Amino acid sequence: MIRIAASRLATSLIALLGAALFAFIALRVAPGDAARLVLGPFATDEAVQALRVKMGLDDPLPVQFWHYLTSFVSGDWGWSYSLGQSVRDLLGERFPATLELGLYAFLFALVAAVSLAVIGAFRRGLLSDGVPRALSVFALAVPQFWFGIVALIIGFEMLGLFPGPSGRLPPGVTAPAGPTGLYTIDALLAGDLATFATALHYLALPAITLGLLPFGFLLRLLRANLLDVAGEPFVLVARAQGQSHFRVFLRYVLPNAIIPTLMASGLILGQLLAGSVLVERVFNWPGAGSLVTQGLLQQDYSVVQTFILLSAFIYILANLFVDLLAAAIDPRIARGAGQ
Amino acid sequence: MTGLLDIRRLSVAFGPTRALSDIDLALEPGTRLGLVGESGSGKSTLGLAVLGLLPPDAACTGEVRFQGEPLPWSDDRAMTRVRGRRIGFIYQDPMAAFSPVHTIGTHITRALRAAHPGVGRREALDWSVALLEEVEINKPRERLDHYPNEYSGGMLQRVMIAAALVGDPDLLIADEPTTALDVTTQASVLGMLDRIVEARGMGFILISHDLGVVAEACREVAVMYGGKLIQRVALADLKAEAHPYTRALLEARPTFGKRGQRLSTIADFLPSDWFDDA
């Protein structure tokens, strides 16, 4: 287990380096001269050249890459010229909102998919099996932004059950101060249950909207795997030994069927944490998605580049975690890596 | 004296396909019956029907009495108490009969505690070690922590036999227990089954397509064809009074006397009443 952890960690580091290299190259081949962009069209060539030297753009590419890596690791993520703020401050403000939304979307997708798939596969009736099947098709077919708008019209406009598209907290409520920047967790840490409930209430619709697609995907995947495994001979043998339907399902079918779902959910978690531009837009969510769109449109590449690297980092971390989890469940993975 | 197993007019259909039609078969305690036939003749279906483990889309009619009482197929919880404790089952492919993510010890203790609900964890562990010893697995305590992919097919089949016998059943149904094994392992597994069945005096149904295997472990043979039981005969009388189909099966066996000749085959046809709506 320690060996597999070490080997996965090494692969993750290589992947991370690859992501950094990609972000670096993407910035170098992008049209436009960064120094020219900073100084504007009326600056003299001498001034631009001087700034190029100052920014290190005249150094050989490997040296530039080295500088870029070391400054990223030391927390210097560059300067956003369009917003006049350091990228670190900007993302520090916006990224937690995206993280929290992605995390809750993921939780919703996983919990809902697993429970519905399990109920449907355990007792295959019209209601218990038909409803999950219809739901998964719906979730996969519906465009996210459309679902978000409809959810707002019904949940906010018509029924008034949920808050409108007004961000993470109602105006007047101060954000809980805390180390994570995730309002629900910070509120819990501070013991402020009222703010926790409010933040959760504001998260509900955006999280469900964002989690809808992965929910449908995971539901479909797990349901198919459960039905597959239920037909395996070892299930028949366990039943023939006098173990009840429920126990065999819980002890043999579920552990064998859930591994592909866990692996897939690692990829999904990474995706959810990284990109939710459309959903953030619909709900006016003050996350990193809108910041990045803006950065792209205004050629503010240091913002985009840092965001790419951060999402890659989270994505790789999520996969590392899932790999280790799968190895803990399936001994063949752990032993296979040891050989 | 009540019989051990009494199957009356048992029919099973999957949609329009009839897998079993009107099977009548009675077994006295201690009977060792070989159930032979080609693939698709309904042998395995018969075994699963007795255990009440046919897939849900199977339409099953008729009655099976076990030790005088009808088996409660419609009540799965009641059947759970029959399986393992009164009727044991051995599956044909040992490699597929174990969940790949659980240790052998987990498999055995679960089977054990299903058959003996009162047994505690520690006691189950000691018992499992004893069981593995009984089926000749070396270093049983260490071996309990291994996973199925670290066992050979023959070892797994012996473990499955141990697990099937843990509830001390009165009838053991073995569905092609040696088919997936190589010839040497076949002989040792078959020998072990033979000894255990003999020692416990249990009823034994050996499902096989191999008359040689049946001849080694059974005293009677029932021949199935196209979902029907066409003949039941004592092993000794098999050659003398064989049904034409049984004779064809016998002739298809490779023996020393037939060296250099082509083996005879059985013409490939389906019985006309295979489909209900034909």
Side-chain angles (χ1 to χ4, degrees):
Chain A
M1 197 65 200
I2 293 167
R3 230 157 121 180
I4 185 172
S7 100
R8 291 291 146 93
L9 202 64
T11 345
S12 301
L13 278 175
I14 294 170
L16 207 58
L17 210 62
L21 190 63
F22 178 78
F24 175 77
I25 291 172
L27 185 78
R28 305 299 126 164
V29 297
D33 182 342
R36 172 63 75 185
L37 276 171
V38 173
L39 294 177
F42 302 113
T44 61
D45 285 348
E46 288 77 36
V48 171
Q49 185 56 34
L51 187 64
R52 284 179 64 86
V53 173
K54 201 178 153 211
M55 288 169 80
L57 293 176
D58 266 0
D59 294 335
L61 282 178
V63 176
Q64 287 191 41
F65 185 57
W66 177 249
H67 281 310
Y68 163 64
L69 274 187
T70 46
S71 57
F72 183 83
V73 172
S74 65
D76 173 14
W77 295 350
W79 185 261
S80 162
Y81 297 106
S82 67
L83 293 166
Q85 228 178 326
S86 88
V87 173
R88 198 174 162 195
D89 289 347
L90 271 174
L91 283 174
E93 222 171 81
R94 302 291 200 96
F95 212 68
T98 294
L99 271 183
E100 188 168 37
L101 178 58
L103 215 56
Y104 278 89
F106 175 74
L107 274 181
F108 157 73
L110 192 66
V111 171
V114 169
S115 25
L116 280 177
V118 164
I119 292 169
F122 179 67
R123 200 170 289 289
R124 302 196 57 193
L126 190 67
L127 196 71
S128 57
D129 197 31
V131 170
R133 280 171 72 177
L135 269 178
S136 78
V137 171
F138 173 79
L140 287 171
V142 156
Q144 279 185 330
F145 66 90
W146 179 84
F147 180 84
I149 292 167
V150 171
L152 276 175
I153 292 173
I154 296 175
F156 168 60
E157 284 270 323
M158 290 166 65
L159 303 177
L161 288 175
F162 291 97
S166 51
R168 304 172 75 184
L169 282 175
V173 175
T174 46
T180 64
L182 311 183
Y183 287 178
T184 48
I185 293 177
D186 285 343
L188 273 188
L189 286 179
D192 184 357
L193 286 181
T195 309
F196 172 76
T198 313
L200 212 56
H201 197 199
Y202 271 71
L203 266 165
L205 283 187
I208 290 173
T209 306
L210 184 61
L212 196 66
L213 192 74
F215 156 73
F217 173 71
L218 289 178
L219 177 56
R220 223 181 149 91
L221 180 73
L222 183 58
R223 187 182 166 275
N225 281 321
L226 282 171
L227 294 181
D228 259 8
V229 175
E232 289 283 340
F234 58 77
V235 172
L236 180 75
V237 170
R239 294 279 282 135
Q241 289 166 348
Q243 305 188 45
S244 71
H245 181 43
F246 177 71
R247 285 195 167 169
V248 169
F249 188 84
L250 212 67
R251 291 164 159 186
Y252 292 101
V253 180
L254 198 57
N256 276 287
I258 200 123
I259 296 168
T261 304
L262 284 181
M263 304 298 272
S265 59
L267 303 178
I268 285 170
L269 177 62
Q271 235 165 25
L272 285 180
L273 296 181
S276 51
V277 178
L278 274 179
V279 175
E280 285 185 7
R281 195 103 196 145
V282 170
F283 288 95
N284 270 324
W285 197 258
S290 47
L291 191 68
V292 172
T293 353
Q294 208 178 334
L296 274 172
L297 292 174
Q298 304 188 343
Q299 297 190 314
D300 201 348
Y301 291 120
S302 51
V303 175
V304 180
Q305 175 182 259
T306 310
F307 181 75
I308 290 175
L309 208 49
L310 272 184
S311 357
F313 182 68
I314 289 169
Y315 191 78
I316 288 164
L317 214 65
N319 273 294
L320 177 67
F321 175 70
V322 166
D323 275 356
L324 295 180
L325 196 64
I329 295 180
D330 191 341
R332 288 169 302 177
I333 297 174
R335 311 248 163 153
Q339 276 158 16
Chain B
M1 176 175 153
T2 43
L4 179 66
L5 184 72
D6 191 2
I7 301 174
R8 290 178 196 166
R9 296 188 64 78
L10 177 68
S11 295
V12 173
F14 298 97
T17 314
R18 246 198 256 177
L20 290 180
S21 32
D22 284 338
I23 303 284
D24 285 297
L25 184 70
L27 236 65
E28 294 303 315
T31 308
R32 298 164 72 169
L33 177 74
L35 200 59
V36 298
E38 292 172 70
S39 305
S41 60
K43 315 178 295 269
S44 300
T45 307
L46 183 58
L48 292 183
V50 170
L51 286 161
L53 285 177
L54 289 171
D57 59 332
C60 195
T61 59
E63 191 186 48
V64 174
R65 288 175 167 270
F66 186 73
Q67 295 174 330
E69 303 156 33
L71 283 177
W73 283 334
S74 54
D75 180 357
D76 195 64
R77 289 180 68 177
M79 276 309 290
T80 297
R81 288 190 288 273
V82 172
R83 297 182 200 121
R85 294 188 224 179
R86 294 168 68 193
I87 305 178
F89 176 73
I90 297 169
Y91 182 74
Q92 50 182 311
D93 183 359
M95 298 296 207
F98 291 85
S99 156
V101 304
H102 296 102
T103 62
I104 295 295
T106 308
H107 282 94
I108 299 181
T109 45
R110 282 176 180 175
L112 203 155
R113 295 175 82 181
H116 305 276
V119 172
R121 248 165 228 287
R122 186 158 286 258
E123 197 184 340
L125 185 72
D126 292 339
W127 197 341
S128 304
V129 172
L131 277 171
L132 285 192
E133 261 165 10
E134 199 183 323
V135 293
E136 295 158 24
I137 304 283
N138 291 329
K139 298 191 208 154
R141 195 165 286 274
E142 203 176 302
R143 278 295 192 171
L144 279 179
D145 292 332
H146 289 194
Y147 287 90
N149 63 334
E150 297 167 283
Y151 272 57
S152 72
M155 287 164 79
L156 287 177
Q157 193 58 295
R158 282 182 274 153
V159 173
M160 185 156 38
I161 292 171
L165 293 173
V166 70
D168 203 11
D170 300 307
L171 172 66
L172 182 64
I173 300 175
D175 186 357
E176 306 260 11
T178 59
T179 307
L181 308 174
D182 65 74
V183 182
T184 328
T185 320
Q186 264 190 18
S188 82
V189 167
L190 210 57
M192 168 175 293
L193 264 177
D194 190 52
R195 282 197 301 279
I196 291 172
V197 170
E198 190 64 47
R200 303 197 182 198
M202 54 173 60
F204 184 43
I205 296 179
L206 175 64
I207 299 170
S208 180
H209 66 275
D210 187 340
L211 279 169
V213 166
V214 169
E216 231 168 285
C218 300
R219 310 229 173 77
E220 276 185 86
V221 182
V223 182
M224 292 193 66
Y225 180 66
K228 287 186 173 159
L229 198 67
I230 58 169
Q231 188 182 26
R232 180 175 177 182
V233 65
L235 197 69
D237 304 333
L238 186 63
K239 282 190 177 148
E241 43 174 297
H243 182 277
Y245 175 70
T246 314
R247 198 184 305 279
L249 275 185
L250 282 170
E251 277 163 14
R253 285 188 316 141
T255 57
F256 270 114
K258 284 188 264 181
R259 264 194 298 180
Q261 301 170 30
R262 270 185 104 78
L263 291 172
S264 59
T265 53
I266 294 171
D268 193 24
F269 65 89
L270 291 174
S272 58
D273 59 347
W274 192 285
F275 295 103
D276 269 344
D277 44 358

